Amino acid sequence: GGCEGAKAAITVTIDPLPSAPSVTTSVSYCKNEVASALSATASSGNTLVWYDTDGTTVLSGAPTPVTSNVGTTTYYVAQKNTTTDCEGPKSSITVTVLTLPSAPTVANTNIDYCEGAVASALSATVTSGSGNTLVWYDSDASTVLPGAPTPQTTTTGTKKYYVSQKNASDCVSPQVEITVTVSADPGAPSVSDIAYCKDAVASALSATASTGNTLVWYGTDGTTVLSGAPTPLTGTVGTTTYYVAQQTAGGCEGAKAAITVTIDPL
């Protein structure tokens, strides 16, 4: 009938929210670069709560960005008080995946030298982007060299080098492979001197090259390259010398052999 008893006290506590965690708000990667898990710093007594790019899906831990696609992605992180379970505002972390520059241009990806020849430094041309620079690699494709390498020709064999280009964002392009082959000196071909009687019908000179090599014929001056083995003229008595060398498949030419042609008087 309206009789009121003693009052009961209900205490309502409003706990403060923790602040947003400390983060690096912007992170950049080159395309396909190996990424690390994102990081943030929680205040004492708080734990981090990570969110996916929609800002609502809670993740099990700090995400590792995917770098296979160029573009920008934003992740979120908040901190929660371990005692009150109150969660503060989110901090955003923007991850940018940058485009790689194109590979440099290499005029000749297969270079041949003869054993002991004087070699030149390898070369490549930056193809795009102001401020791009070349990056040279040793034969393991990972050891960075201080500049364009000059091949060693003291030992025969094949060695590969690699080159890429790096842009102002330190993004490195795909590599171009350059193969350097050092061939053994093939030596001079096997030849024999020959004699004709004056006005006799002569045949083209001949020489024997080693297996896999081709002959290079020279005129009597030893420098003019002929299209093939010359046929001596026999109308004048005297001695004439022709020259022939042999060349490997890689273009390595050995020493010249001299063929003396003697035209004897009748």
Side-chain angles (χ1 to χ4, degrees):
C3 179
E4 181 177 312
K7 298 179 179 71
I10 301 175
T11 300
V12 178
T13 302
I14 308 300
D15 294 312
L17 296 179
S19 60
S22 176
V23 298
T24 299
T25 58
S26 180
V27 179
S28 294
Y29 286 102
C30 299
K31 185 182 179 186
N32 297 326
E33 184 179 355
V34 177
S36 301
L38 300 181
S39 64
T41 303
S43 304
S44 177
N46 296 332
T47 58
L48 295 173
V49 182
W50 288 94
Y51 292 88
D52 208 350
T53 55
D54 57 5
T56 57
T57 302
V58 177
L59 303 175
S60 59
T64 298
V66 175
T67 62
S68 56
N69 295 314
V70 173
T72 300
T73 307
T74 302
Y75 296 88
Y76 302 89
V77 60
Q79 55 181 338
K80 182 164 62 176
N81 187 287
T82 55
T83 301
T84 64
D85 218 28
C86 291
E87 182 177 315
K90 299 178 181 73
S91 294
S92 63
I93 302 175
T94 299
V95 178
T96 302
V97 179
L98 304 171
T99 303
L100 297 183
S102 58
T105 298
V106 177
N108 187 7
T109 57
N110 291 284
I111 299 173
D112 295 289
Y113 283 106
C114 297
E115 184 179 9
V118 177
S120 301
L122 301 182
S123 64
T125 303
V126 171
T127 56
S128 63
S130 175
N132 287 5
T133 56
L134 295 173
V135 184
W136 289 94
Y137 300 87
D138 209 348
S139 54
D140 59 4
S142 60
T143 301
V144 177
L145 302 175
T150 299
Q152 297 297 316
T153 62
T154 54
T155 305
T156 61
T158 299
K159 184 173 182 179
K160 297 181 184 297
Y161 296 90
Y162 301 86
V163 62
S164 60
Q165 63 177 330
K166 179 170 65 174
N167 62 20
S169 300
D170 273 349
C171 290
V172 179
S173 75
Q175 294 177 338
V176 178
E177 180 183 274
I178 302 175
T179 301
V180 178
T181 301
V182 179
S183 301
D185 188 327
S190 176
V191 298
S192 297
D193 294 335
I194 190 168
Y196 285 103
C197 296
K198 184 177 183 294
D199 297 327
V201 177
S203 300
L205 299 181
S206 64
T208 303
S210 302
T211 302
N213 296 341
T214 56
L215 295 172
V216 182
W217 288 93
Y218 292 87
T220 55
D221 59 3
T223 57
T224 302
V225 178
L226 305 177
S227 60
T231 299
L233 298 176
T234 62
T236 302
V237 171
T239 299
T240 307
T241 302
Y242 295 88
Y243 300 89
V244 61
Q246 59 179 331
Q247 190 178 67
T248 65
C252 180
E253 184 175 311
K256 298 179 180 73
I259 302 176
T260 300
V261 178
T262 303
I263 308 302
D264 294 318
L266 298 179

